[in-house]
Amino acid sequence: MQRRWSCLALVLLVLLLSGSRPAMATRAAEAVQAASDAQSEPSLVYTLPSAELARARSLYEWRTLLEFGGTLWNILTLLAILVFGWAAGLRSWVFRWTSRGWLQGICFAPLLLLLASLLNLPVDILAHHVALSYGQSIEGWGSWFGDWSKALMLTLIVGTVALLVVFALIRRSPRHWWIWLWLLSLPTQLAVVFILPVAVDPLFNHFEPLETADPALVAQLERVVAKTGTRIPASRMYLMRASEKVTGANAYVTGFGASKRVVVWDTTIKNCPTDEILVIFGHELGHYVLNHIQRGLAMASAISFFALWIGFRLTHWLTARYGGLWGIISLEDWAAAGILLLVLSLLTFAVEPLSNSISRTQEHQADVFGQEVVHGIVADPQKTAALSFQRLGEESLEYPWPNPFVVFWSYSHPPISERERFAAHYNPWQAGGPPRYFTRAGALR
């Protein structure tokens, strides 16, 4: 019964959020609907041909389903682990093997995390199937399962350590454990951001110095960097072999301190002309110069403080209200890890609008910076930036008219249509106004 209800909820949810017909409509019906949309929707800079527009709309519905439905599925599976007594059963099984407290935790935590991951595997498989079907991924299933297994191992190792630490704090300070956890999370966040590009990302993708792969492009990028008065050595510019797994173009900034770097996908170099690459790089350089990683960490720390306080109260309430039904004695019981995971999922979903709003603001700032920094280097920054967004939208099959609620809740970037429209019209030099981040002479403010 629970499975039937969850499937029905997923279907109703995607229909309500997308405001359109089911994604299983025939190709002919999609073409008719796309033509109707092209006439009824407001005219935007970003456009797609009718056939591609129909596919983009269908993919948008799948993405919406996976975003919201995947979260719902995850919450339901965690509830099932609690309601059906699986967490308590695992705890009792481990207790029969050993009576040592921390050895019990070391055995119990990875088993619980493994169970939760396996229950969510169908959603992960569906997401990759959709990516393959719409040409967003070319990664074979063997390679995909290899990546999934690596991610699972990281989840088991890191998650087990995290749960051991949380339970140590709960047992040592039942009333203030959430404060100690927050304080401990501050240096941990810095360490994770530092370690990711060095130790984790190379497990899933191949990286090499950009200077080795394309020295001529590095020379062009250094012209852009020189305008900022900062210095990004060539040793911190990397090429990622994204073409082994995906079809779209991208670039990003990652790391912290000595591990901070700019990464350009090889698909970007293959698919985009040099001027567009410079605009894309200018956007990522904006994240670098404007210290978005540091600011993001600071804002995440503030958000996590209030989230942990709410989580503290919610976990205690759930344990007191339902612990007896779920076979959980107290919050110090190892089986209460299921409650902690459930609360974590609920809070993560609840803070998405706030964190994504911050992300969209930073992405817009980087868009502005990207156009300003290439002024005088790229002949027509407005046209070049608009073309790059058009290309990005076409490659990723971005739907031009996403539901505002979906954007508000789940989009970490502004919609492509908004970004392209802004890029096409942003020209403070021609309007006589000052640029936001540079002087009219081209120096960084």
Side-chain angles (χ1 to χ4, degrees), residues 89-107:
L90 280 176
R91 184 256 346 260
S92 299
W93 183 78
V94 168
F95 278 20
R96 287 197 294 269
W97 284 90
T98 178
S99 59
R100 296 186 177 183
W102 290 111
L103 186 56
Q104 292 171 347
I106 291 173
C107 296

Side-chain angles (χ1 to χ4, degrees), residues 2-180:
Q2 185 183 57
R3 183 178 180 182
R4 291 180 181 177
W5 177 85
S6 63
C7 292
L8 178 61
L10 296 184
V11 174
L12 292 175
L13 186 63
V14 73
L15 290 176
L16 288 172
L17 293 178
S18 64
S20 59
R21 79 278 181 270
M24 297 303 292
T26 64
R27 182 63 58 88
E30 287 181 343
V32 172
Q33 184 66 48
S36 174
D37 287 344
Q39 295 176 358
S40 61
E41 297 285 5
S43 177
L44 298 176
V45 175
Y46 172 61
T47 58
L48 290 173
S50 295
E52 290 301 292
L53 180 62
R55 295 184 69 239
R57 183 167 183 168
S58 179
L59 179 57
Y60 161 74
E61 292 171 355
W62 275 113
R63 285 169 171 164
T64 302
L65 173 63
L66 289 167
E67 172 68 25
F68 291 92
T71 299
L72 176 60
W73 178 264
N74 179 53
I75 291 171
L76 289 176
T77 56
L78 290 173
L79 277 173
I81 288 173
L82 293 168
V83 171
F84 296 134
W86 298 338
L90 280 176
R91 184 256 346 260
S92 299
W93 183 78
V94 168
F95 278 20
R96 287 197 294 269
W97 284 90
T98 178
S99 59
R100 296 186 177 183
W102 290 111
L103 186 56
Q104 292 171 347
I106 291 173
C107 296
F108 171 81
L111 290 175
L112 180 67
L113 294 169
L114 176 61
L115 175 60
S117 297
L118 291 175
L119 290 174
N120 277 283
L121 180 58
V123 175
D124 297 333
I125 291 175
L126 177 60
H128 186 59
H129 171 72
V130 170
L132 288 172
S133 299
Y134 287 87
Q136 302 300 295
S137 173
I138 58 172
E139 184 179 16
W141 284 104
S143 174
W144 183 86
F145 272 108
D147 285 347
W148 183 86
S149 300
K150 294 175 190 176
L152 175 62
M153 292 305 300
L154 288 174
T155 297
L156 298 183
I157 295 171
V158 176
T160 297
V161 173
L163 285 175
L164 291 175
V165 171
V166 170
F167 273 92
L169 295 175
I170 290 174
R171 292 170 178 177
R172 189 173 186 85
S173 181
R175 293 179 59 84
H176 301 102
W177 60 267
W178 66 276
I179 298 178
W180 294 110

Side-chain angles (χ1 to χ4, degrees), residues 99-427:
S99 59
R100 296 186 177 183
W102 290 111
L103 186 56
Q104 292 171 347
I106 291 173
C107 296
F108 171 81
L111 290 175
L112 180 67
L113 294 169
L114 176 61
L115 175 60
S117 297
L118 291 175
L119 290 174
N120 277 283
L121 180 58
V123 175
D124 297 333
I125 291 175
L126 177 60
H128 186 59
H129 171 72
V130 170
L132 288 172
S133 299
Y134 287 87
Q136 302 300 295
S137 173
I138 58 172
E139 184 179 16
W141 284 104
S143 174
W144 183 86
F145 272 108
D147 285 347
W148 183 86
S149 300
K150 294 175 190 176
L152 175 62
M153 292 305 300
L154 288 174
T155 297
L156 298 183
I157 295 171
V158 176
T160 297
V161 173
L163 285 175
L164 291 175
V165 171
V166 170
F167 273 92
L169 295 175
I170 290 174
R171 292 170 178 177
R172 189 173 186 85
S173 181
R175 293 179 59 84
H176 301 102
W177 60 267
W178 66 276
I179 298 178
W180 294 110
L181 181 60
W182 177 75
L183 291 173
L184 186 60
S185 73
L186 300 181
T188 301
Q189 290 181 61
L190 293 177
V192 168
V193 174
F194 180 88
I195 292 172
L196 276 176
V198 177
V200 178
D201 291 347
L203 294 175
F204 301 93
N205 291 286
H206 176 73
F207 296 84
E208 60 185 271
L210 185 58
E211 191 174 31
T212 301
D214 196 333
L217 178 60
V218 171
Q220 292 293 322
L221 299 182
E222 288 179 336
R223 292 179 61 204
V224 181
V225 174
K227 288 193 63 176
T228 66
T230 59
R231 183 174 178 269
I232 303 180
S235 60
R236 293 198 183 187
M237 297 182 187
Y238 287 84
L239 179 76
M240 189 181 96
R241 296 292 178 183
S243 59
E244 298 172 356
K245 298 181 180 180
V246 299
T247 58
N250 197 10
Y252 62 92
V253 172
T254 186
F256 182 80
S259 73
K260 195 171 184 179
R261 63 197 62 196
V262 175
V263 178
V264 180
W265 289 11
D266 64 338
T267 49
T268 304
I269 297 176
K270 178 181 177 181
N271 300 336
C272 302
T274 301
D275 280 356
E276 288 186 26
I277 296 176
L278 295 183
V279 171
I280 295 170
F281 176 77
H283 171 98
E284 300 306 323
L285 182 60
H287 289 307
Y288 196 100
V289 174
L290 299 175
N291 296 314
H292 281 167
I293 291 179
Q294 294 90 322
R295 293 182 181 185
L297 285 171
M299 287 183 282
S301 298
I303 294 171
S304 65
F305 178 85
F306 294 101
L308 281 171
W309 176 76
I310 296 172
F312 162 76
R313 302 189 66 87
L314 184 56
T315 51
H316 278 277
W317 180 81
L318 286 172
T319 304
R321 179 68 177 82
Y322 298 103
L325 296 174
W326 296 341
I328 298 172
I329 301 171
S330 70
L331 196 56
E332 297 182 11
D333 186 346
W334 285 114
I339 297 178
L340 292 172
L341 293 179
L342 174 63
V343 170
L344 176 63
S345 295
L346 291 171
L347 292 177
T348 300
F349 180 69
V351 302
E352 271 192 46
L354 179 57
S355 60
N356 282 328
S357 175
I358 294 171
S359 176
R360 288 193 301 272
T361 298
Q362 291 187 337
E363 293 299 332
H364 177 68
Q365 291 172 350
D367 283 346
V368 175
F369 189 97
Q371 281 191 237
E372 291 184 358
V373 74
V374 298
H375 182 76
I377 297 177
V378 172
D380 191 341
Q382 292 73 40
K383 181 179 179 181
T384 302
L387 287 175
S388 70
F389 286 126
Q390 178 69 35
R391 189 188 308 276
L392 177 62
E394 292 174 355
E395 291 176 350
S396 60
L397 279 180
E398 186 83 13
Y399 184 58
W401 308 292
N403 186 290
F405 176 79
V406 176
V407 174
F408 162 75
W409 201 281
S410 65
Y411 273 42
S412 61
H413 291 61
I416 286 290
S417 54
E418 292 182 10
R419 300 177 75 184
E420 183 172 335
R421 183 170 60 240
F422 173 82
H425 296 93
Y426 182 68
N427 191 349

